[in-house]
Amino acid sequence: MSCPICGKETSPDSRPFCSKRCADVDLARWLNGNYAVPSDDPEDIEAAIEAAAQAAASTDRLH
């Protein structure tokens, strides 16, 4: 198995990474928001809450 950061062979102590350094690089990427899950939700939280409420109301009307 190769390290997802640098491609070197992984170390049993740092798996799935080759070293603590690569593990720290990966953690920094998560904390900086470099890794993100795409979403169709509005970025504005108030708009997201309103959209969720409208979706729930639509579902309620169907049942």
Side-chain angles (χ1 to χ4, degrees):
M1 178 179 210
S2 61
C3 176
I5 301 300
C6 71
K8 293 180 183 177
E9 193 62 30
T10 59
S11 165
D13 296 337
S14 304
R15 193 161 236 179
F17 306 101
C18 68
S19 66
K20 182 173 180 343
R21 180 196 167 279
C22 282
D24 289 344
V25 167
D26 185 69
L27 178 61
R29 288 179 181 174
W30 279 104
L31 295 175
N32 289 329
N34 292 345
Y35 297 140
V37 177
S39 174
D40 292 334
D41 286 341
E43 290 191 25
D44 180 23
I45 190 67
E46 291 176 7
I49 293 170
E50 184 178 326
Q54 288 175 351
S58 295
T59 304
D60 290 343
R61 280 185 252 149
L62 295 174
H63 295 283

